[in-house]
Amino acid sequence: MTARRLRWWSWVHKWSSLICTIFALLLCLTGLPLIFHEELGPNPAIDKVAAPGIRASVDTMIAEALAERPGEVVPYLFYDREKPIVKIPTAGSMTSAPDTFFYKVFDVRTGKALSADQPNEGFIYVMLRLHADLFAGIKGMLFLGGMGLLLTASIVSGMVLYGPFARRLRFGEIRKRQSNRLRWLDLHNLLGIITLAWFGIVTLTGVINTLAAPIELMWQSNQLLDMAAQNRGQAQGDRKAPVDLVLANVRAAVPGMTVTTLAFPGSPFSTPTHYAAFLTGDTPLTSRILKPAIIDAASGEVVVVRDMPWYATALFVSQPLHFGDYGGLPLKIIWATLDIVTIFILISGLYLWLAKWRSGRAVVDAVGTASTEASR
């Protein structure tokens, strides 16, 4: 490492960190409660039933949800991965924004409506929107992706700079007898190198997550249309097969997998003449990777089932890795601990820059004062 290269990497680390630190702090602070979103979010009370394998009529549940919201439509069904419940949203149109949905939650075994808070309201929803897009939609999402790239540059440059620094000290050594600034520097570097791998993974998966909207558009404009082209279906407004029949046909066509989402004809994730079902497996990894199936809306017959393209699979894998929600509560606690450590690293980095800046200003002021006194 030459002196010139060292200065260049120091410049990269300084400015990439300064530009993105405030937003990185925001993401860490909002991400902390999101690690426990399943524990802190809406959790309806579920009764025990004598025959847990039975399924109530989904069509009846849909009719009940629509009766409560006259004039609205049902664009999707959302099944919970862990609990026997289904969320049925109603909206003004099939293409309404998700934050306008009104959700009705049912027990899939009994068809009983459950009392639950709206998932698009409350503390967790606010934290999620701040973390995902700053309440600015796709523009905010892509902006945070840019900040994630700067944070990646900060992490890489910090790793490069740690090499020359580590040669002067034993690993883990904190110079307690030196100034406060040196103690903070040693602690900042030590915690930074310890959390390097985790912070890098979370940052990169976060950047991938900010590409969710473009990835969805790519899938809709390519694979979805290609799958639907294998069966043109009936014109929109014609007779549609019962949802219970659609779900039964999908489960028979793809045994061993679970329907997590059903998109109704005319919604953004289906076509005007097809249902689209999204299924997952039962392992920690396959439970996060969706497999789409296209169903003819009139007959209820499954047209085609395919794996998602690689770019969509990368998104699905990155999402649980980002929040640490694929290994149960112990992994979430580890993720939360590392998140808190990262918050300290970011704050200590700001402190070190401010301390250096103030020290530089003090030297400039002292030199200026001395020059003034000398001129007198």
Side-chain angles (χ1 to χ4, degrees):
M1 177 70 70
T2 64
R4 183 177 181 182
R5 287 184 178 180
L6 187 62
R7 287 194 299 271
W8 187 85
W9 280 110
S10 297
W11 183 89
V12 171
H13 187 69
K14 172 185 175 181
W15 289 107
S16 61
S17 300
L18 284 176
I19 294 171
C20 71
T21 291
I22 297 299
F23 296 100
L25 268 174
L26 172 66
L27 293 174
C28 287
L29 290 170
T30 55
L32 189 57
L34 291 177
I35 294 172
F36 303 99
H37 65 96
E38 292 179 347
E39 291 77 9
L40 298 175
N43 288 302
I46 303 173
D47 298 329
K48 293 183 178 180
V49 297
I54 63 173
R55 292 180 184 273
S57 170
V58 177
D59 288 292
T60 302
M61 302 179 208
I62 292 173
E64 183 177 339
L66 290 173
E68 189 173 320
R69 309 281 293 187
E72 296 192 352
V73 295
V74 172
Y76 303 98
L77 298 180
F78 298 111
Y79 285 88
D80 193 281
R81 285 192 296 263
E82 307 293 336
K83 301 174 183 177
I85 61 175
V86 60
K87 298 175 184 177
I88 302 180
T90 55
S93 71
M94 298 301 291
T95 57
S96 295
D99 56 0
T100 65
F101 290 175
F102 178 84
Y103 290 85
K104 189 82 172 175
V105 182
F106 294 87
D107 189 319
V108 298
R109 305 160 301 175
T110 63
K112 176 184 176 182
L114 304 174
S115 176
D117 296 331
Q118 292 296 304
N120 49 6
E121 297 176 352
F123 173 73
I124 290 296
Y125 174 70
V126 173
M127 293 296 100
L128 179 60
R129 287 298 305 273
L130 284 172
H131 192 84
D133 61 10
L134 301 174
F135 284 93
I138 188 171
K139 292 181 180 179
M141 192 177 294
L142 295 176
F143 173 78
L144 290 177
M147 292 298 103
L149 292 175
L150 281 177
L151 185 56
T152 302
S154 174
I155 294 170
V156 171
S157 58
M159 179 180 64
V160 172
L161 292 172
Y162 184 77
F165 170 83
R167 285 197 292 266
R168 300 196 302 266
L169 296 173
R170 295 189 302 272
F171 181 78
E173 182 180 353
I174 306 295
R175 290 171 285 186
K176 297 180 180 180
R177 296 183 179 180
Q178 304 295 329
S179 64
N180 283 337
R181 183 173 174 273
L182 282 177
R183 286 196 294 271
W184 276 74
L185 176 62
D186 292 344
L187 196 56
H188 176 86
N189 289 333
L190 174 62
L191 295 178
I193 205 66
I194 289 174
T195 60
L196 175 68
W198 176 85
F199 199 18
I201 289 172
V202 170
T203 301
L204 288 175
T205 53
V207 171
I208 294 173
N209 288 341
T210 63
L211 301 175
I215 288 173
E216 290 169 358
L217 290 174
M218 287 177 62
W219 179 79
Q220 290 166 339
S221 60
N222 292 294
Q223 192 181 70
L224 175 61
L225 294 180
D226 182 57
M227 293 171 69
Q230 299 189 32
N231 174 276
R232 295 185 179 278
Q234 302 296 321
Q236 187 178 14
D238 288 355
R239 178 182 62 85
K240 291 183 174 59
V243 175
D244 288 320
L245 175 63
V246 171
L247 292 171
N249 288 340
V250 171
R251 290 170 180 139
V254 195
M257 300 195 76
T258 303
V259 176
T260 59
T261 303
L262 182 69
F264 283 64
S267 67
F269 288 90
S270 63
T271 77
T273 57
H274 296 88
Y275 290 93
F278 298 89
L279 304 98
T280 61
D282 56 2
T283 67
L285 179 61
T286 60
S287 66
R288 304 293 178 169
I289 300 175
L290 298 180
K291 182 185 286 290
I294 295 296
I295 306 99
D296 184 272
S299 66
E301 296 296 323
V302 176
V303 175
V304 63
V305 180
R306 284 188 187 174
D307 291 327
M308 279 287 198
W310 67 267
Y311 51 83
T313 300
L315 173 65
F316 299 143
V317 172
S318 71
Q319 288 174 337
L321 193 59
H322 185 71
F323 290 109
D325 60 352
Y326 60 89
L329 187 59
L331 187 61
K332 291 183 179 182
I333 293 174
I334 294 173
W335 243 240
T337 302
L338 291 169
D339 187 282
I340 293 171
V341 173
T342 302
I343 291 172
F344 176 83
I345 293 170
L346 295 170
I347 292 175
S348 63
L350 279 177
Y351 166 79
L352 290 169
W353 178 79
L354 286 172
K356 186 174 182 180
W357 178 76
R358 287 177 178 174
S359 176
R361 285 293 301 272
V363 170
V364 171
D365 291 344
V367 170
T369 302
S371 298
T372 303
E373 293 294 330
S375 63
R376 290 178 180 176

